Amino acid sequence: FARPGAVPVGLFAGLAGDSTPWHGDYHHNYNAWQPYWTSFIINHPELAEPWVRYMNEMLPRMQWLAKTTYDCEGACIGISSFAFEPDPAKCQSVNRRQIAIPPFGYTLGMAGMSAQVLWHSHLYRPDRKYLEEKLYPVIREVALFYCSLAEKCPRDATGRAQFGPSYSPEHGGFGVANVPFDLAYARFIMKAAICAAGELGRDEQLAERFRQAMAVLPPYPTAPDEAGQPIVVDWTGCKFRQIKQHNITVPAVPVFPAEQVTWFSPESDKELFRNTLRQTVHRGCNSTIMLGVAKARFSMLEALKDARQYYRPEVQPNGMFHWPMHGFYLSESVGIAAMISEFLVQSVDNVIRVFPCWPKDKDASFTNLRAQGGFLVTAEQKAGQITKLEITSTVGGKLRLLNPWTGQLVERDTTAGERMEFKP
């Protein structure tokens, strides 16, 4: 039910009716993002077009909300929106048809999460014209919101911004600062805007302003666990296990989906987040995919076991999933396709890793999964060894591959349509 030119799917896709919970809206703190993130790695980047178009249509409302609510430049978004949202300038009601839903509507990171699909659209299917016309205008405005807000925030004794007020989705209360969800997405989208501006040869001064804003963002908040080791928590001042059970695993967001701490990060950062991932508990609903992929990004094989244990009892004869916490299909459930693909291939930071989270004693193969840079990857593992690895370049550009036999980084300039075969 997602195709170019169609209205973006809401919470219940084509199954929505008059009595559908939440009116089948778009939830910008997780649910609306997941179906469209899925489309890239499974090699259907065209299926993200409805969300790209929707974000462009929403830009006047997002800019209005940033100015009205935060007195900031740029564009931000609330928790809930619908398929046909008018420009606030054309609305007659006092609130201009804007839904707030406190405190859920005030999570700062939602704008970055909603715009992430646009940047992924360029990473997985590079197209300079599309970037300039459909992607960069939204990415730029969302980055400008975070930049403008960071410039206004009070500073602590170290000169770092107290990034807030905000709400940690979906836990705690309104008014907290330095939520990992917010910090990670502010970094993600400002980095994306800097990269896009450089590629397009424009907004050099604005890109420098983004760099300065990122420099004042604080580190992710931590608290000691029972052994006295640091663990990432939901906001500055939050205690270990203060959130007993997460619906959205906020402490994991810098690893996934915001991709700020990766396999290639310093070992100290990776160890902090490994400890965090091991001790983060979720309630068996939204975060099954979010936490699973975060663990897969660090090659923690328990992610595969957890996913199988949770999803196997829920699969229906038609291949969809019945969510026990809600009792019906949500369009976000298609995210399992991307999660499974993440066990087989990853391309964070434009570096391809094959079978990054797959047990050696399990044979597996896949064909034409899509990686950043527009590369199509085909591989096979037998008896614990990778026996086949083929990569096709769809648009040309630099291939960056972590050699699965040596662990060394391979870099190679490619041409569009070039097919490469790698061997031990």
Side-chain angles (χ1 to χ4, degrees):
F1 25 66
R3 62 186 183 277
V7 174
V9 297
L11 283 177
F12 298 95
L15 305 176
D18 290 343
S19 61
T20 298
W22 304 289
H23 307 290
D25 70 348
Y26 306 121
H27 269 39
H28 292 273
N29 67 350
Y30 177 82
N31 314 77
W33 159 89
Q34 189 162 286
Y36 294 102
W37 160 74
T38 303
S39 67
F40 301 109
I41 192 170
I42 65 172
N43 196 23
H44 282 285
E46 74 282 358
L47 298 184
E49 187 275 339
W51 192 252
V52 172
R53 177 165 32 85
Y54 181 68
M55 289 294 289
N56 277 270
E57 294 169 353
M58 282 285 287
L59 196 53
R61 176 165 293 275
M62 294 170 65
Q63 291 169 320
W64 173 85
L65 188 62
K67 180 63 177 176
T68 303
T69 301
Y70 299 97
D71 193 26
C72 283
E73 303 166 78
C76 71
I77 204 162
I79 177 65
S80 175
S81 67
F82 294 90
F84 304 101
E85 292 282 15
D87 185 333
K90 299 178 181 178
C91 296
Q92 301 301 312
S93 63
V94 174
N95 66 4
R96 301 296 190 266
R97 197 184 140 89
Q98 179 62 45
I99 299 175
I101 315 183
F104 299 88
Y106 297 101
T107 298
L108 296 173
M110 291 189 296
M113 173 172 258
S114 298
Q116 182 180 31
V117 170
L118 278 69
W119 184 234
H120 276 173
S121 185
H122 182 63
L123 292 180
Y124 283 82
R125 187 173 58 170
D127 182 328
R128 190 182 190 280
K129 186 174 185 291
Y130 195 59
L131 173 66
E132 185 169 29
E133 294 179 356
K134 299 297 183 183
L135 308 179
Y136 182 65
V138 175
I139 292 169
R140 177 189 185 277
E141 289 301 298
V142 174
L144 182 57
F145 166 68
Y146 289 130
C147 174
S148 180
L149 183 68
E151 292 168 348
K152 289 176 178 288
C153 286
R155 301 289 195 265
D156 63 16
T158 68
R160 295 298 187 103
Q162 295 299 289
F163 201 60
S166 189
Y167 169 71
S168 179
E170 298 173 350
H171 323 92
F174 174 68
V176 297
N178 305 332
V179 176
F181 189 100
D182 303 339
L183 293 172
Y185 268 115
R187 290 183 170 110
F188 178 95
I189 212 68
M190 283 195 280
K191 288 178 181 178
I194 291 168
C195 187
E199 187 171 335
L200 296 172
R202 55 185 292 186
D203 289 337
E204 184 176 342
Q205 291 184 343
L206 185 59
E208 179 56 31
R209 191 176 159 194
F210 293 159
R211 292 187 189 95
Q212 293 177 8
M214 282 194 294
V216 301
L217 292 179
Y220 302 111
T222 61
D225 64 13
E226 293 172 345
Q229 297 300 309
I231 185 172
V232 178
V233 292
D234 281 54
W235 60 80
T236 295
C238 182
K239 295 179 174 57
F240 174 63
R241 296 290 162 118
Q242 184 171 337
I243 308 299
K244 302 267 192 289
Q245 199 177 63
H246 283 81
N247 186 35
I248 295 177
T249 47
V250 172
V253 169
V255 179
F256 182 81
E259 304 177 329
Q260 296 307 292
V261 182
T262 75
W263 180 258
F264 306 100
S265 293
E267 186 58 36
S268 58
D269 292 346
K270 291 168 65 175
E271 185 54 36
L272 168 64
F273 277 93
R274 284 194 200 100
N275 189 32
T276 299
L277 298 180
R278 291 189 190 105
Q279 301 197 60
T280 299
V281 178
H282 66 79
R283 69 188 188 101
C285 186
N286 285 352
S287 284
T288 51
I289 287 174
M290 183 178 284
L291 190 62
V293 176
K295 289 181 175 180
R297 293 282 172 93
F298 284 165
S299 297
M300 299 167 69
L301 290 178
E302 64 197 72
L304 188 60
K305 177 183 176 182
D306 292 347
R308 185 182 292 112
Q309 181 176 345
Y310 178 77
Y311 283 102
R312 180 173 285 163
E314 312 307 331
V315 68
Q316 303 299 298
N318 66 357
M320 294 185 71
F321 292 86
H322 180 266
W323 289 67
M325 298 300 293
H326 293 298
F328 21 66
Y329 299 124
L330 280 77
S331 57
E332 68 195 46
S333 65
V334 302
I336 191 173
M339 178 177 66
I340 293 171
S341 300
E342 286 270 348
F343 298 146
L344 304 173
V345 65
Q346 296 170 15
S347 57
V348 188
D349 290 340
N350 283 298
V351 179
I352 297 172
R353 299 171 64 211
V354 294
F355 297 110
C357 191
W358 194 261
K360 291 293 186 182
D361 61 345
K362 298 288 185 183
D363 292 351
S365 64
F366 61 89
T367 302
N368 285 346
L369 291 179
R370 182 172 283 258
Q372 292 180 4
F375 295 100
L376 302 182
V377 185
T378 295
E380 183 177 52
Q381 175 179 293
K382 284 186 177 181
Q385 300 295 321
I386 295 176
T387 57
K388 179 179 182 180
L389 176 55
E390 298 175 356
I391 299 178
T392 300
S393 175
T394 62
V395 296
K398 185 178 290 293
L399 169 70
R400 304 179 74 212
L401 168 70
L402 200 65
N403 187 307
W405 299 285
T406 67
Q408 300 298 309
L409 180 64
V410 176
E411 294 187 321
R412 176 173 172 176
D413 292 325
T414 69
T415 58
E418 182 178 357
R419 179 181 168 277
M420 295 155 281
E421 183 177 355
F422 297 86
K423 295 182 178 180

